[in-house]
Amino acid sequence: MIRAEYLRFMQTLQGPSTTDSVRRIANIVSYHLEELTPLSTHQGQRIRKMVDLSHANWEGAPTHIPPIPDDSAAPEIQLSRLKTMTVGPFRGFAQQEEFDLNSRLVLVYGPNGTGKSSFCEALEYALLGNVAEAESKRFRDQNEYLKNAHVNAFTAPVVVSEDEQGSDISVTANESAYRFCFVEKNRIDSFSRIAAQAPARQTELIATLFGLESFTSFTRNFTSEISSQYIDLQGKEALLLAQKQQSLQGAQQQIQSSSAELHRIAEEEQRLANSFRAGTSFEQMKVELSGNDHTPGLIQQLEVELQHPTPLKSGLSKGAIEAMGNEAASMISELRIKQQKLVDSSHQVSFKQLYEAVVQVQQSSSDACPACKTPLQQVVVNPYMHAGQELTKLQDLAALQQGVIQLKQSVLQNLFNISQTLNTCLKFFSQGNPLKPFEIVNAQPELTWWDSLLRQLPDNYTAWQHLVSQVEQLEASDKKAEEALRLKGEKQNELNRLRDLARQVTVLETQMQTVTNNTLASQRVIDNFQIDNAQLIESVEAEKAVIVKNQEIVAAYAAFVQKLTSYSNSLPAQLVADLGEQVVRLYNSFNRNDVQSELLADVKLPLAQNQRLRIAFQSKPEQFFDALHVLSEGHVRCLGLAILLAKNLKEQAPLLIFDDPVNAIDDDHRESIRRTLFADHFFMAKQVVLTCHGEEFFKDIQNLLSVADIRESKLLSFLPRLGEQHIRVDYNCAPRNYILAATTHIERNEVREALAKSRQALEALTKDKIWKYVHRHGDGNLSIKLRSSTEPIALRNLTEQLRSKIGRAEFTDPNKNAIYDPIDTLLGINRGSREWRYLNKGTHEEFDRAEFDRGTVTDIVSALVGLDEALG
């Protein structure tokens, strides 16, 4: 892409307004394009390389512009249709595959990752001679990107096409002739992303859409001029001589100023030593700070001490564990008292449960006693009223039960906290700890665990006493750790202070060394001036010719960059010139279901820097809006696609190759875009190659077209890989066109499957084609009765309504019988037959179903074929 566009730019340099020097620069860039492309303005990478190349090639660079190579010029023989493509090894193709593309429509389906992009990249390489994706991913050697990684080999794809006279020809890559055949989903994505960013980036829209980002980036990485930082324009030797001529006086002044500087440095050294310790010399301070061969310095000693690890803290306290113990003992005592009360009231609990059960069965047996079924009018005591009264009396018992539950939860939480403290003690005192048998891991301690803590162990202490004692020890250890941390902080502060002193020592020593070197250098200048000047004067004379050449290079480079930048900036305007009307037509076709006020009346594409992409709606054709401000992301994508397709039409590209439009367009516009591509007049004269990963989209395209169109189309299916290293292709994939599938099934005597496809076909025809046909030639308003809001429209009811509309005398289509008769044939089949019940409602799996009548199903399929032919 970059080379092809650059060669087109070079043709603009052939006129008399361009100097020979500029053409030299242009040719140098052309010869070394691959070296220059990856270099940017960062740290002067590109400009440094340009200076080196200009110096090395200036005399040998030609001053004429070579013509565009034959493979980039317009081809003498125009291709009409691709017929075959042989590909592999190439990208995902580990071995050779041959594709039959000899059809106006080539539809390719396959899930993501099955090789569709490799298929499209093979077409791109065969037609354009390059793959844009390799360029965008910074592959300097495109063959590395294109070769199959498993076999480590690459063979250029071979495409055979048919010319306008019907003869077979081998396609020669021609980027200029075929670049507008491709619609890249990634470019539409980038177009919509830029639309969501700052308005200032709108000037990049068209360049992004047509894949010019790489060329634009290549252009921008040329700085506008070569500064003296990168090329000698005055003469280094001449400047050096002039400097040396002035340096005699300067050297003497340097010696005088150096003496005062040395005195200042000595005072700074003593001040710094006194800040370290009063009465210490600068040299003694350096030894104490940094040490010597025998003794480490204070800085090193502190660094070693600070490397010792700080003891860990437990965070425990004796007061906290004792408080938890007291609280646990108190709550457990209270819990056991309440639990005993519940035990003492066990008979009341039983009665409470009984009364509750009686109340619960009242709704199911409200007129009789739940136990004996005696009617309530005959019982002595109403059991439901009695149960309710007794439950009221037992409210205190319920409160006691709830209190026991809540208190037990609090006790268990307290015991859990104590167990965590015990586990912490075990982490710090892991060897021979008497608390080890009481460790709780990933479990909730119970009351028995608490009781065990209070029992006396063989050492005459309880586990609780050990726990409190260990917590007390850890609390004391925490205090020591805090003291150690405080001391470590003090040492760190002291280390920082000493390091700062050492840094200042280094600064002063550096200053001293610099002053000393300057003094010695100045003295040498004075002593050796005459000897040095003799050789320098000769060099000054020799470099004059180099300076003249460098100045010519700088001037030529600046003019070259100005012309290249101007060309790059003008490219978007050249690409979209005279596309406005076609863009509006295509955009409105994509949005045919929108209200009239949302359709476009005009579009003004950006033709110059800082211009906006502006649109006017049909409701207000005189008022223009910023398109990226008022359009949704889906409509922005439609606009980008409309621009690309308009360019394809304007350039009369013989092909339209669209890789996975499902990713490039949103759900709301897919139907209209399908109709624009396959049903409207726009692309009827072109071969269309389309890939998609959406099976529904693949199916919808085929059912939009007629059976005849699908029979003549090439349908390919890329299959998921099952561990192979090679792309799997189904060259005879099952058609998704319902009528064609039904015809195939009936030919194979697969009656049930033929009927299933017939239902889908009839549903698609009535709702998508026949209803629209009726609306176009007559009254398309139907009156259909539904039993509920969720009930689907009965297919027979819909078909009968449409037949009735077509059969009316006022229906305007003179050829309506071609559609009426197949519908009448379909409806002439008994509506109560198994076949029509199937068509009307679909079928569910049933055993022992009576067989479908093959003759009836054949009539249904034949009628559908006739409808399809009549509807085109």
Side-chain angles (χ1 to χ4, degrees):
M1 176 65 75
I2 294 176
R3 175 166 291 281
E5 201 60 59
Y6 184 78
L7 291 176
R8 284 190 284 270
F9 156 71
M10 288 184 68
Q11 304 311 303
T12 66
L13 305 180
Q14 292 181 340
S17 60
T18 302
T19 64
D20 288 346
S21 298
V22 171
R23 286 191 277 268
R24 274 198 176 99
I25 289 286
N27 280 309
I28 290 172
V29 171
S30 178
Y31 297 152
H32 301 89
L33 199 64
E34 284 70 23
E35 298 175 60
L36 291 169
T37 298
L39 303 180
S40 67
T41 57
H42 180 63
Q43 296 182 343
Q45 297 172 354
R46 176 78 65 85
I47 198 63
R48 291 179 190 275
K49 188 66 175 179
M50 276 301 305
V51 170
D52 293 342
L53 293 174
S54 298
H55 280 154
N57 300 283
W58 191 252
E59 285 76 14
T63 59
H64 68 278
I65 298 298
I68 293 179
D70 292 340
D71 59 356
S72 297
E76 295 181 2
I77 302 176
Q78 298 292 331
L79 67 85
S80 174
R81 174 184 294 182
L82 303 182
K83 294 191 70 175
T84 63
M85 178 174 70
T86 305
V87 56
F90 179 93
R91 295 287 284 142
F93 293 96
Q95 62 194 37
Q96 190 177 90
E97 294 281 350
E98 182 169 341
F99 291 92
D100 181 2
L101 308 177
N102 190 17
S103 172
R104 190 185 75 82
L105 297 179
V106 179
L107 304 178
V108 181
Y109 161 69
N112 288 331
T114 54
K116 301 187 305 301
S117 293
S118 294
F119 172 82
C120 289
E121 286 177 342
L123 285 174
E124 185 177 358
Y125 187 84
L127 293 174
L128 306 185
N130 61 73
V131 175
E133 191 70 12
E135 200 169 83
S136 67
K137 291 181 178 178
R138 306 290 187 181
F139 276 83
R140 293 187 63 181
D141 182 1
Q142 195 166 103
N143 289 353
E144 286 297 314
Y145 175 81
L146 298 176
K147 71 181 180 182
N148 179 270
H150 298 292
V151 300
N152 197 32
F154 158 66
T155 300
V158 176
V159 173
V160 175
S161 72
E162 182 180 277
D163 63 15
E164 294 175 339
Q165 285 71 43
S167 302
D168 288 356
I169 57 171
S170 294
V171 175
T172 301
N174 190 308
E175 197 267 351
S176 297
Y178 305 128
R179 60 176 173 157
F180 298 115
C181 293
F182 292 85
V183 174
E184 294 281 352
K185 63 179 183 297
N186 293 335
R187 295 177 186 175
I188 298 175
D189 288 339
S190 299
F191 182 81
S192 65
R193 282 197 300 272
I194 291 177
Q197 296 175 11
R201 293 198 62 194
Q202 286 200 26
T203 52
E204 302 176 27
L205 281 172
I206 303 303
T208 299
L209 198 58
F210 285 99
L212 296 175
E213 306 102 311
S214 55
F215 181 73
T216 302
S217 175
F218 169 76
T219 301
R220 287 176 179 170
N221 280 313
F222 283 103
T223 55
S224 59
E225 58 184 21
I226 306 176
S227 69
S228 58
Q229 176 184 359
Y230 304 109
I231 195 168
D232 187 3
L233 298 176
Q234 294 179 305
K236 294 179 181 178
E237 299 297 330
L239 289 175
L240 182 59
L241 179 59
Q243 291 171 358
K244 286 192 173 186
Q245 288 172 340
Q246 297 176 358
S247 67
L248 291 178
Q249 184 178 2
Q252 293 170 348
Q253 294 175 349
Q254 179 66 52
I255 292 174
Q256 294 175 359
S257 63
S258 295
S259 177
E261 185 67 9
L262 289 173
H263 181 70
R264 181 194 66 78
I265 293 173
E267 290 180 346
E268 287 291 324
E269 289 177 344
Q270 191 55 51
R271 181 194 60 76
L272 188 61
N274 288 334
S275 69
F276 172 68
R277 188 173 60 248
T280 303
S281 68
F282 185 73
E283 293 300 323
Q284 180 61 32
M285 177 187 67
K286 289 198 301 181
V287 172
E288 291 190 33
L289 288 175
S290 303
N292 52 32
D293 295 338
H294 308 290
T295 306
L298 294 174
I299 292 176
Q300 183 180 354
Q301 293 176 23
L302 285 173
E303 288 174 341
V304 171
E305 292 175 8
L306 288 171
Q307 289 176 356
H308 295 159
T310 304
L312 297 175
K313 293 174 63 177
S314 67
L316 303 178
S317 74
K318 180 181 178 183
I321 190 62
E322 288 179 340
M324 283 191 286
N326 293 336
E327 185 180 6
S330 173
M331 288 192 296
I332 290 171
S333 176
E334 182 182 356
L335 174 63
R336 285 173 172 162
I337 291 170
K338 289 185 176 182
Q339 286 175 334
Q340 186 58 44
K341 286 182 180 180
L342 279 177
V343 172
D344 296 341
S345 304
S346 60
H347 66 285
Q348 291 180 302
V349 172
S350 299
F351 276 111
K352 178 174 176 291
Q353 294 172 345
L354 174 62
Y355 295 145
E356 287 173 342
V358 171
V359 171
Q360 290 175 356
V361 300
Q362 182 175 2
Q363 291 182 348
S364 60
S365 182
S366 60
D367 299 330
C369 173
C372 63
K373 303 302 181 181
T374 302
L376 293 184
Q377 294 84 355
Q378 300 176 19
V379 298
V380 177
V381 177
N382 186 315
Y384 301 119
M385 294 179 60
H386 180 68
Q389 293 167 357
E390 289 302 315
L391 283 175
T392 303
K393 295 176 183 179
L394 293 175
Q395 285 181 351
D396 291 341
L397 180 60
L400 179 60
Q401 287 177 318
Q402 185 63 32
V404 167
I405 293 172
Q406 294 176 349
L407 185 57
K408 186 172 182 180
Q409 290 176 345
S410 300
V411 167
L412 293 178
Q413 180 61 46
N414 189 277
L415 293 182
F416 177 78
N417 295 338
I418 292 173
S419 71
Q420 295 301 303
T421 302
L422 186 145
N423 291 346
T424 301
C425 291
L426 288 172
K427 290 179 181 177
F428 282 87
F429 304 116
S430 57
Q431 299 297 325
N433 196 326
L435 295 178
K436 184 64 177 178
F438 304 92
E439 182 179 16
I440 300 293
V441 179
N442 298 328
Q444 170 65 49
E446 301 293 340
L447 296 181
T448 55
W449 179 77
W450 169 256
D451 294 338
S452 68
L453 292 180
L454 302 179
R455 296 192 193 99
Q456 195 173 50
L457 301 176
D459 61 0
N460 297 326
Y461 291 96
T462 66
W464 176 257
Q465 289 173 319
H466 280 295
L467 176 60
V468 173
S469 174
Q470 290 181 21
V471 168
E472 186 177 11
Q473 294 177 53
L474 290 175
E475 185 176 12
S477 297
D478 284 356
K479 292 180 180 178
K480 292 180 181 179
E482 289 176 359
E483 178 62 19
L485 285 172
R486 185 188 65 78
L487 292 175
K488 188 172 184 178
E490 292 179 355
K491 289 181 180 180
Q492 185 63 56
N493 292 336
E494 177 63 10
L495 177 60
N496 293 340
R497 185 182 76 87
L498 296 181
R499 283 175 174 169
D500 185 62
L501 289 173
R503 181 189 61 78
Q504 295 183 59
V505 166
T506 301
V507 171
L508 290 174
E509 287 182 331
T510 302
Q511 291 176 353
M512 176 67 77
Q513 185 63 43
T514 300
V515 172
T516 301
N517 291 341
N518 289 341
T519 301
L520 294 174
S522 297
Q523 189 60 51
R524 283 196 299 272
V525 169
I526 294 172
D527 295 340
N528 301 318
F529 180 74
Q530 294 300 328
I531 298 174
D532 294 341
N533 276 354
Q535 181 63 40
L536 188 57
I537 292 171
E538 293 181 11
S539 300
V540 168
E541 290 299 320
E543 73 177 359
K544 287 183 179 179
V546 175
I547 299 305
V548 171
K549 172 184 171 182
N550 287 351
Q551 290 173 345
E552 183 182 2
I553 290 173
V554 168
Y557 173 85
F560 164 80
V561 172
Q562 187 275 328
K563 291 178 180 292
L564 178 61
T565 302
S566 176
Y567 175 84
S568 178
N569 291 340
S570 66
L571 274 179
Q574 296 175 26
L575 290 171
V576 299
D578 303 325
L579 293 185
E581 292 183 8
Q582 190 68 281
V583 169
V584 169
R585 284 193 290 269
L586 288 167
Y587 177 90
N588 289 342
S589 179
F590 297 160
N591 294 277
R592 66 186 70 196
N593 297 323
D594 288 0
V595 296
Q596 189 75 14
S597 60
E598 294 181 356
L599 299 180
L600 298 187
D602 196 2
V603 59
K604 292 187 176 181
L605 301 171
L607 301 180
Q609 285 288 323
N610 302 319
Q611 283 189 355
R612 302 290 180 88
L613 178 56
R614 297 190 297 153
I615 58 173
F617 295 104
Q618 292 184 0
S619 58
K620 296 181 179 179
E622 301 82 12
Q623 184 177 5
F624 281 85
F625 299 90
D626 184 340
L628 308 187
H629 181 68
V630 300
L631 294 182
S632 66
E633 181 180 350
H635 285 91
V636 169
R637 287 173 177 267
C638 286
L639 188 57
L641 178 59
I643 294 172
L644 288 175
L645 294 181
K647 188 65 175 177
N648 178 278
L649 293 171
K650 181 177 183 298
E651 297 296 326
Q652 298 181 353
L655 312 170
L656 175 61
I657 301 172
F658 200 160
D659 182 15
D660 215 345
V662 175
N663 283 346
I665 55 179
D666 60 342
D667 295 341
D668 295 337
H669 295 95
R670 286 178 185 170
E671 180 191 359
S672 296
I673 290 177
R674 281 196 303 272
R675 292 188 179 279
T676 303
L677 292 176
F678 300 107
D680 295 345
H681 66 281
F682 296 103
F683 301 97
M684 285 299 178
K686 294 180 184 291
Q687 183 182 27
V688 178
V689 180
L690 182 141
T691 73
C692 70
H693 76 269
E695 188 175 14
E696 289 301 308
F697 193 79
F698 189 61
K699 176 263 294 182
D700 291 340
I701 292 174
Q702 295 187 41
N703 286 288
L704 174 66
L705 301 172
S706 68
V707 171
D709 287 335
I710 295 302
R711 286 187 187 277
E712 295 175 0
S713 301
K714 296 298 180 183
L715 305 179
L716 302 173
S717 180
F718 282 61
L719 305 177
R721 302 188 188 186
L722 302 176
E724 314 92 326
Q725 298 175 349
H726 180 63
I727 292 173
R728 299 172 62 226
V729 185
D730 182 1
Y731 293 99
N732 298 299
C733 70
R736 268 58 166 189
N737 180 279
Y738 297 136
I739 299 176
L740 184 57
T743 303
T744 303
H745 284 306
I746 202 66
E747 289 172 354
R748 296 176 179 175
N749 203 34
E750 297 167 351
V751 179
R752 186 179 190 279
E753 295 302 321
L755 193 54
K757 293 300 178 183
S758 296
R759 172 188 162 74
Q760 293 173 311
L762 181 57
E763 191 169 20
L765 285 173
T766 53
K767 293 181 180 179
D768 183 57
K769 294 185 179 180
I770 301 176
W771 201 338
K772 291 179 180 177
Y773 162 78
V774 169
H775 192 76
R776 189 163 58 248
H777 295 285
D779 179 12
N781 298 314
L782 306 184
S783 176
I784 298 174
K785 294 181 180 181
L786 301 176
R787 293 187 179 89
S788 68
S789 60
T790 59
E791 182 187 7
I793 298 174
L795 193 52
R796 185 171 184 104
N797 190 357
L798 174 60
T799 309
E800 287 174 341
Q801 291 264 342
L802 293 171
R803 180 183 65 173
S804 174
K805 295 286 185 178
I806 298 172
R808 291 182 179 179
E810 62 270 20
F811 197 78
T812 60
D813 184 14
N815 300 316
K816 66 181 183 180
N817 288 337
I819 295 173
Y820 181 90
D821 292 343
I823 297 177
D824 193 53
T825 300
L826 282 170
L827 293 174
I829 299 170
N830 181 10
R831 71 185 303 157
S833 67
R834 289 186 300 277
E835 290 75 20
W836 246 112
R837 286 201 305 272
Y838 186 102
L839 286 177
N840 207 36
K841 298 180 180 178
T843 186
H844 304 285
E845 183 58 37
E846 297 178 8
F847 294 102
D848 301 323
R849 180 202 300 275
E851 296 296 331
F852 293 115
D853 181 69
R854 187 182 189 280
T856 303
V857 177
T858 301
D859 291 342
I860 290 172
V861 174
S862 298
L864 292 173
V865 171
L867 266 178
D868 178 75
E869 293 173 352
L871 291 167

